[in-house]
Amino acid sequence: FMKDIGPSLAFVRSIRVLRIVCAFRVVRTVSHFQHLRILWNTIVGSVASFMHSMAIMLICMLMFAILLTQSLHEFILDSANDLSTRHMANRYFGNGFKSLWTVFEFTFSGCWPGYARPLVEEVHWLYALLFALYVTTVIFAMTRVISALFLKETISKAAEDTEMMVWERDKSTRNMERDLVALFQIADTNGDGLLTEQEFE
């Protein structure tokens, strides 16, 4: 009877050792992708904040674009005004789409002086007040507030994923410890809590 048990026990030991080796390899492989996983989960988790931020910015840009289009409409149609200035105003602010794209361009590129100065110098000085208000409230203040909130949300998502990663690593360590204990229990045939050279082989 003991002769039949011997090969079976050796086979079980081999399976246990193979499981432990595979577990070590999986842990090593996963560790190489942990930072990539954190980056990916952070990007995915920040999509909602990004969409909300862009929605707020779009509303502000749309309001300013409509204001510029409506205020420049009479200037563009008045043949008494300078033709080149009328062409410039019509090119950038002639309709809602043109005006919105222009506002989008100088909001995110920082080239607003190139659009504001011709209007201030050749159309009306009140455009200086309009652009000053828009630049200080939207381009300067709002973009920085949104950037700060977006960064805070991104860091929060990354911290949550880091905590999850630590929990998974701890769980993997506990499973590996359980497998090792089970392996030693199987190898300890006489139950004395020690492994002799013969039992180890």
Side-chain angles (χ1 to χ4, degrees), residues 32 38 138 142-143 145 182 194 197:
H32 293 297
I38 291 176
V138 178
M142 187 175 294
T143 53
V145 171
L194 298 174
E197 184 176 353

Side-chain angles (χ1 to χ4, degrees), residues 38-39 41-47 49 146-164:
I38 291 176
L39 178 61
N41 291 342
T42 301
I43 293 174
V44 172
S46 303
V47 170
S49 300
I146 291 177
S147 298
L149 294 177
F150 186 72
L151 180 62
K152 179 182 177 181
E153 183 69 18
T154 302
I155 294 175
S156 176
K157 294 295 182 181
E160 291 177 2
D161 194 76
T162 302
E163 293 176 359
M164 181 63 67

